[in-house]
Amino acid sequence: MRDYSEKRDFHRMQVESEIEITDSKGNTFAGTCRDLSATGMQLLVRNPVAVGEELSTVLRPGSDQFPPLETICEVIRCEPEGDGFLLGTNISEVTR
Protein backbone atom coordinates (compact mmCIF):
# COMPACT_ATOMS: atom_id res chain seq x y z
CA MET A 1 0.00 0.00 0.00
CA ARG A 2 1.27 3.50 -0.85
CA ASP A 3 1.98 5.89 2.00
CA TYR A 4 0.11 9.22 2.23
CA SER A 5 2.75 11.22 0.33
CA GLU A 6 2.27 8.94 -2.69
CA LYS A 7 -1.54 9.11 -2.78
CA ARG A 8 -1.69 12.46 -4.57
CA ASP A 9 -3.02 12.59 -8.12
CA PHE A 10 0.00 14.68 -9.14
CA HIS A 11 3.51 14.40 -7.77
CA ARG A 12 5.12 17.42 -6.16
CA MET A 13 8.43 18.70 -7.42
CA GLN A 14 10.66 20.18 -4.72
CA VAL A 15 12.09 23.52 -5.83
CA GLU A 16 13.73 26.53 -4.18
CA SER A 17 13.18 29.22 -6.80
CA GLU A 18 12.43 32.91 -6.55
CA ILE A 19 8.92 33.76 -7.74
CA GLU A 20 7.27 37.08 -8.56
CA ILE A 21 3.79 37.44 -7.04
CA THR A 22 1.11 40.05 -7.73
CA ASP A 23 -1.99 40.26 -5.53
CA SER A 24 -5.50 41.34 -6.57
CA LYS A 25 -4.74 44.97 -5.61
CA GLY A 26 -1.77 45.09 -8.00
CA ASN A 27 0.94 44.88 -5.31
CA THR A 28 3.96 42.93 -6.56
CA PHE A 29 6.35 41.18 -4.18
CA ALA A 30 8.94 38.41 -4.21
CA GLY A 31 8.65 34.99 -2.66
CA THR A 32 10.19 31.56 -2.85
CA CYS A 33 8.46 28.65 -4.57
CA ARG A 34 9.13 25.63 -2.35
CA ASP A 35 7.24 23.00 -4.33
CA LEU A 36 5.19 22.74 -7.47
CA SER A 37 2.64 20.26 -8.79
CA ALA A 38 0.19 20.29 -11.70
CA THR A 39 -2.50 21.76 -9.44
CA GLY A 40 -0.72 23.90 -6.84
CA MET A 41 2.33 25.56 -5.36
CA GLN A 42 3.77 26.12 -1.91
CA LEU A 43 5.14 29.65 -1.56
CA LEU A 44 7.22 31.26 1.19
CA VAL A 45 6.51 35.00 1.53
CA ARG A 46 7.45 37.76 3.98
CA ASN A 47 3.92 38.96 4.86
CA PRO A 48 0.64 37.07 5.40
CA VAL A 49 -1.82 36.73 2.53
CA ALA A 50 -5.55 36.19 3.11
CA VAL A 51 -7.07 32.80 2.35
CA GLY A 52 -9.14 33.18 -0.82
CA GLU A 53 -6.83 35.87 -2.29
CA GLU A 54 -6.16 35.47 -6.00
CA LEU A 55 -2.50 35.80 -6.98
CA SER A 56 -0.72 36.08 -10.31
CA THR A 57 2.70 34.44 -10.30
CA VAL A 58 5.73 34.36 -12.59
CA LEU A 59 8.28 31.59 -12.05
CA ARG A 60 11.32 32.12 -14.24
CA PRO A 61 13.47 29.11 -15.19
CA GLY A 62 17.20 29.00 -14.56
CA SER A 63 17.97 29.22 -18.29
CA ASP A 64 16.61 30.94 -21.39
CA GLN A 65 15.76 27.59 -23.00
CA PHE A 66 12.28 27.58 -21.41
CA PRO A 67 9.68 30.33 -21.02
CA PRO A 68 8.56 31.45 -17.54
CA LEU A 69 5.63 29.68 -15.90
CA GLU A 70 2.86 32.21 -15.33
CA THR A 71 -0.20 31.27 -13.27
CA ILE A 72 -3.30 32.52 -11.54
CA CYS A 73 -3.72 30.80 -8.19
CA GLU A 74 -5.85 31.00 -5.06
CA VAL A 75 -4.47 30.96 -1.52
CA ILE A 76 -5.97 28.04 0.41
CA ARG A 77 -3.65 28.15 3.42
CA CYS A 78 -1.41 30.73 5.13
CA GLU A 79 0.70 29.58 8.10
CA PRO A 80 3.61 31.21 9.98
CA GLU A 81 6.99 29.78 8.94
CA GLY A 82 10.18 31.17 10.47
CA ASP A 83 10.39 34.88 9.61
CA GLY A 84 7.62 34.64 6.99
CA PHE A 85 4.51 32.78 5.96
CA LEU A 86 3.99 29.57 4.02
CA LEU A 87 1.17 29.73 1.48
CA GLY A 88 -0.62 26.73 0.02
CA THR A 89 -2.16 27.62 -3.33
CA ASN A 90 -4.35 25.99 -5.96
CA ILE A 91 -3.47 26.84 -9.55
CA SER A 92 -6.67 27.86 -11.33
CA GLU A 93 -5.07 28.86 -14.64
CA VAL A 94 -1.72 28.62 -16.38
CA THR A 95 -1.50 31.79 -18.45
CA ARG A 96 1.88 31.03 -20.05
Side-chain angles (χ1 to χ4, degrees):
M1 179 173 262
R2 297 185 302 175
D3 68 21
Y4 178 77
S5 65
E6 295 177 14
K7 290 183 181 178
R8 298 182 169 275
D9 289 334
F10 298 98
H11 290 285
R12 288 183 178 185
M13 190 169 50
Q14 299 297 314
V15 293
E16 280 291 320
S17 297
E18 189 171 314
I19 190 165
E20 180 181 302
I21 304 164
T22 304
D23 66 18
S24 60
K25 295 178 183 84
N27 300 313
T28 299
F29 52 98
T32 302
C33 181
R34 288 263 182 100
D35 72 43
L36 175 66
S37 77
T39 60
M41 290 186 280
Q42 187 179 74
L43 308 174
L44 181 63
V45 296
R46 187 174 307 260
N47 297 309
V49 178
V51 170
E53 176 75 21
E54 186 175 85
L55 303 174
S56 298
T57 67
V58 180
L59 182 63
R60 290 182 170 68
S63 75
D64 291 337
Q65 290 182 312
F66 302 101
L69 173 66
E70 297 180 15
T71 72
I72 305 294
C73 56
E74 179 184 356
V75 177
I76 58 170
R77 186 178 64 255
C78 178
E79 301 170 345
E81 173 80 14
D83 291 338
F85 294 85
L86 201 55
L87 307 180
T89 68
N90 278 337
I91 297 173
S92 54
E93 183 180 351
V94 174
T95 56
R96 178 175 173 193

